């Protein structure tokens, strides 16, 4: 029995089903994918909060990327300094961008060299060596890497704030290393049918009848679960809910402080840009970033109009940020048509030091737990945790043949 059909629960359930187990997935919401959720509003695809799929995550190997029909952002970002916008683009992905990136006002040559060195280290050192480095806050680690000046304030802080959902950079340097590694090694994209389609792809691999939507679980033991419709027994129960619910259902499991984000969606008659690039918020502003989603994935819009997603860490109102969104894209505020806004109060758990990577997933007596709170607060963490939980369940249910294709019961 798997409780929760987010990426963690689906990763666990698909593995258990592939190994021949009789798996049932109980999901409280009316859709799969958990926090990767997409609505359709006036013909536009609207993810619940700006998020992207990073192909540098190791567990992305479990997905059929071709079927997701990803549209790509360029690796890098656009910044505004003294009223002028400049693009900072990874020259490996677009060699012709090297001269403008080299001259972009993100700090001295020394800082740019330090950024290249930091990227090479995170991207190409073996993971055990990265994790063996002394753990600090991200802010301290960047400072020690020579990245404390303009490059921090104009580029790294707003870029990382959009991913870590905090701008003090108090996140663990170990998570920063793993995250930066994924940016160095992969690309970031949006699926043609929205971020929810990532979960839907995994759910499609489950046997018919294994998924039960709108089935809210109120209690769990290693022998079964209690739902509004009654008690269901199981040989093993995997709790793959969000961190807060996991902590409520499972004594001894604690939830890290949640990070929140508010995303405002606007429509423009057309894109103001000629390349798909994230625009970073300016120091002192409320926006951490803003992106024309349809530049990366035209299928997020119905008719060639541009869909813009702009995020703030605090719970802002649209009127508070409209001018800033307009300035970010060099358009008039009156050109922006407000589509919707979404605040996600528990977007992801904090990853402050000490980072507890790969927390135990086998709680004993038939109870298992997985989710982004057991690994890293990301798509990668959720999927990796689900895979670990499935292995642990198989090990418990049939210790002699961990993952053979025989029936578990
Ligand atoms: C706005 C936003 C932006 C993000 N951006 C990124 C990004 O760009 N890159 C990245 O890697 N990560 C990003 N993340 C984080 C990423 O989405 C999550 O880390 C990941 O999706 C968590 O998956 P999960 O399966 O652990 O949990 P969830 O997705 O929370 O899944 C848990 C599931 O359990 C269900 N559930 C809860 N309680 C019960 C119950 N009692 N009974 C039955 N079912 C229950 C829930 O409905 C849900 O479907 C972002 C998150 C948000 C919200």
């Amino acid at each position: 029995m798997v409780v929760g059909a987010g990426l963690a629960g689906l990763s666990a359930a698909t593995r258990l089903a592939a190994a021949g187990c009789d798996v049932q997935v109980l999901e409280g919401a009316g859709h799969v994918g958990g926090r990767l959720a997409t609505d359709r509003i006036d013909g536009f695809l609207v993810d619940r909060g700006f998020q992207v799929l990073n192909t540098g995550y190791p567990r992305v190997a479990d997905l059929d990327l071709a079927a997701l029909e990803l549209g790509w952002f360029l690796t890098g970002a656009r910044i505004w300094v003294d009223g002028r916008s400049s693009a900072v683009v990874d020259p490996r992905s677009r060699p012709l961008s090297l001269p403008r990136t080299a001259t972009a006002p993100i700090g001295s040559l020394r800082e740019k060299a330090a950024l290249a060195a930091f990227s090479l280290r995170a991207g190409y050192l073996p993971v055990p060596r990265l994790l063996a480095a002394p753990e600090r806050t991200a802010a301290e680690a960047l400072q020690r890497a020579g990245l404390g000046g303009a490059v921090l304030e104009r580029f790294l802080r707003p870029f990382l704030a959009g991913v870590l959902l905090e701008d003090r950079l108090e996140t663990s340097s170990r998570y920063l290393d793993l995250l930066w590694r994924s940016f160095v090694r992969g690309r970031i994209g949006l699926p043609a049918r929205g971020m929810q389609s990532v979960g839907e792809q995994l759910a499609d691999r489950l046997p018919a009848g294994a998924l039960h939507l709108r089935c809210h679980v109120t209690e769990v033991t290693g022998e079964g679960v209690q739902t509004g419709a009654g008690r269901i027994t199981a040989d093993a129960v995997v709790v793959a809910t969000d961190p807060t619910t996991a902590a409520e259902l499972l004594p001894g499991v604690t939830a890290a402080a949640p990070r929140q984000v508010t995303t405002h969606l606007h429509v423009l008659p057309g894109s103001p840009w000629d390349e798909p690039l994230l625009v970073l918020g300016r120091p002192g502003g409320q926006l951490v970033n803003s992106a024309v989603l349809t530049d990366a994935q035209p299928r997020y819009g119905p008719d060639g109009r541009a869909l813009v997603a702009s995020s703030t860490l605090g719970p802002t109102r649209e009127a508070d940020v409209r001018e800033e969104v307009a300035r970010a894209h060099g358009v008039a505020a009156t050109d922006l048509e407000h589509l919707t806004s979404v605040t996600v109060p528990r977007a992801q758990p904090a990853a402050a030091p000490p980072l507890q990577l790969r927390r135990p997933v086998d709680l004993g007596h038939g109870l298992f737990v997985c989710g982004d709170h057991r690994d890293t607060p990301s798509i990668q963490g959720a999927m990796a945790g689900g895979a670990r939980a499935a292995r642990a369940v198989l090990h418990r249910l049939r210790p002699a043949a961990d993952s053979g294709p025989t029936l578990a019961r």
Side-chain angles (χ1 to χ4, degrees):
M1 190 78 66
V2 176
V3 182
L7 295 192
L10 291 169
S11 294
T14 50
R15 278 184 157 73
L16 290 169
C21 292
D22 171 8
V23 184
Q24 301 293 310
V25 182
L26 308 182
E27 166 54 53
H31 66 91
V32 298
R35 274 168 271 167
L36 298 194
T38 307
D39 299 303
R40 194 173 274 278
I41 302 177
D42 293 350
F44 290 92
L45 289 179
V46 177
D47 295 324
R48 287 191 209 149
F50 172 56
Q51 39 191 319
V52 289
L53 184 63
N54 185 329
T55 61
Y57 289 149
R59 283 273 58 82
V60 162
D62 297 344
L63 299 171
D64 178 352
L65 288 185
L68 290 174
E69 299 179 73
L70 291 157
W72 303 103
F73 284 102
L74 286 177
T75 304
R78 185 174 290 281
I79 59 166
W80 284 90
V81 177
D82 299 332
R84 287 191 55 203
S85 86
S86 311
V88 180
V89 177
D90 184 341
R92 294 171 314 154
S93 65
R94 188 163 281 199
L96 289 179
S97 69
L98 184 58
R100 60 182 176 146
T101 297
T103 54
I106 54 162
S108 62
L109 262 183
R110 182 193 284 258
E111 283 180 296
K112 287 174 187 165
L115 182 60
F118 183 77
S119 300
L120 281 173
R121 173 188 159 277
Y124 299 106
L125 268 191
V127 169
R129 280 194 56 197
L130 282 180
L131 295 178
E135 187 175 25
R136 313 174 195 282
T137 64
E140 285 164 355
L142 291 171
Q143 197 84 41
R144 292 176 79 97
L147 296 167
V151 71
L152 178 67
E153 298 311 329
R154 292 177 180 171
F155 180 67
L156 287 169
R157 191 187 296 278
F159 184 87
L160 290 170
V163 186
L164 304 173
L165 304 186
E166 59 101 358
D167 58 5
R168 297 162 62 112
L169 301 182
E170 52 198 22
T171 296
S172 162
S173 58
R174 294 201 172 138
Y175 183 45
L176 170 66
D177 282 344
L178 296 176
L179 194 68
W180 204 255
R181 180 182 187 82
S182 67
F183 282 113
V184 172
R185 296 169 84 95
R187 302 171 70 190
I188 57 173
L190 292 172
R193 286 170 297 284
M195 289 297 285
Q196 188 172 313
S197 65
V198 177
E200 287 168 347
Q201 181 181 95
L202 293 175
D204 284 347
R205 296 178 192 165
L206 291 173
L211 176 66
H212 307 271
L213 296 177
R214 296 184 186 84
C215 183
H216 187 76
V217 171
T218 52
E219 276 176 46
V220 297
T221 68
E223 283 107 45
V225 304
Q226 183 71 39
T227 73
R231 185 161 179 78
I232 313 173
T233 57
D235 294 337
V237 174
V238 179
V239 175
T241 65
D242 56 278
T244 308
T245 309
E248 283 163 11
L249 290 173
L250 298 166
V253 168
T254 50
R259 305 286 192 207
Q260 67 170 327
V261 64
T262 295
T263 301
H264 302 282
L265 282 302
H266 291 95
V267 177
L268 281 171
S271 176
W273 304 110
D274 57 7
E275 55 192 357
L277 205 50
L278 192 68
V279 183
L280 298 184
R282 301 176 207 210
Q286 299 207 72
L287 284 190
V288 284
N289 59 45
S290 183
V292 180
L293 304 183
T294 39
D295 282 351
Q297 179 49 271
R299 285 165 67 183
Y300 267 45
D303 53 13
R305 283 178 294 159
L307 180 63
V308 184
S310 311
S311 298
T312 67
L313 299 180
T316 45
R317 294 172 309 144
E318 191 268 339
D320 300 338
V321 296
R322 170 177 277 258
E323 286 290 341
E324 216 178 321
V325 174
R327 278 202 304 278
H329 296 285
V331 300
T334 47
D335 289 346
L336 292 166
E337 185 192 331
H338 182 216
L339 185 66
T340 189
S341 297
V342 53
T343 293
V344 188
R346 298 178 186 281
Q348 58 195 39
L355 184 68
Q356 293 183 34
L357 263 185
R358 302 187 193 102
R359 291 184 192 191
V361 290
D362 184 346
L363 303 180
H365 310 290
L367 258 185
F368 300 80
V369 62
C370 61
D372 61 350
H373 57 109
R374 302 310 278 181
D375 288 77
T376 56
S378 63
I379 290 169
Q380 160 65 21
M383 294 182 74
R388 288 199 300 124
R391 278 197 300 277
V393 170
L394 291 172
H395 182 70
R396 282 281 171 187
L397 291 186
R398 42 182 195 195
D402 266 357
S403 54
T406 51
L407 280 176
R409 60 184 178 130

